Amino acid sequence: LESTFKTCAYERPEAGGDMERWKMNVNSLGNVARVLGTMIKYEHECQVETENVVKVFDRLGVPRSEDIPDCLKLLSSLARLFYWVCRMSGSVAERLQERLSMHEDPDYVLHVMVKLWTKCVDIHNMIGPA
């Protein structure tokens, strides 16, 4: 599971690319994220690359256009995984600092999280009250 989470190709292909393969990869990555989140919830040791979660949030959750992301299931599974990774750590700030690669700036992570949250609120408001 951990190696699939690290290596699964989640980037959307250009026009004419293999969309079926991309859909399968996104679905698989969502399932893996959900299982890893459940394992962490029940205190099983897992090595989750936090920077991978942030990169997927940045690439897929915060589209460059005003379109709604078409991989909401993946994003919700990753959000759940991220929640459990943070919840099971003693300090969220220390966990993020420890897990982020030397190339990741904490400001970048916060910027991505704020943009993703803003996009989620916008989608919620667009859907309207249930």
Side-chain angles (χ1 to χ4, degrees):
L1 288 173
E2 294 152 333
S3 68
T4 299
F5 186 74
K6 290 178 189 176
T7 60
C8 189
Y10 59 84
E11 294 281 348
R12 187 182 188 116
E14 297 294 324
D18 189 355
M19 287 301 288
E20 289 304 312
R21 180 66 159 168
W22 177 75
K23 288 177 187 177
M24 186 175 63
N25 285 349
V26 166
N27 197 18
S28 297
L29 189 58
N31 291 334
V32 167
R34 181 144 187 89
V35 170
L36 285 172
T38 301
M39 291 175 73
I40 291 170
K41 176 182 177 180
Y42 292 108
E43 299 180 7
H44 292 278
E45 288 294 321
C46 295
Q47 295 179 354
V48 174
E49 300 290 331
T50 309
E51 64 236 39
N52 287 355
V53 174
V54 174
K55 286 177 186 175
V56 176
F57 280 158
D58 187 32
R59 301 273 191 230
L60 300 179
V62 187
R64 304 304 180 240
S65 67
E66 293 303 313
D67 297 334
I68 296 175
D70 53 358
C71 44
L72 291 176
K73 181 180 175 188
L74 169 60
L75 295 174
S76 68
S77 294
L78 283 172
R80 181 178 180 272
L81 171 61
F82 189 72
Y83 167 79
W84 281 110
V85 165
C86 292
R87 179 157 180 201
M88 291 303 189
S89 65
S91 165
V92 173
E94 286 177 17
R95 172 68 178 196
L96 289 176
Q97 195 65 24
E98 161 194 315
R99 299 299 279 176
L100 292 174
S101 70
M102 299 306 279
H103 306 292
E104 297 294 339
D105 178 13
D107 289 338
Y108 164 74
V109 174
L110 293 175
H111 177 72
V112 169
M113 300 304 274
V114 167
K115 286 184 80 174
L116 181 63
W117 182 256
T118 302
K119 192 67 173 176
C120 290
V121 169
D122 291 345
I123 292 169
H124 175 75
N125 291 336
M126 185 176 66
I127 293 171

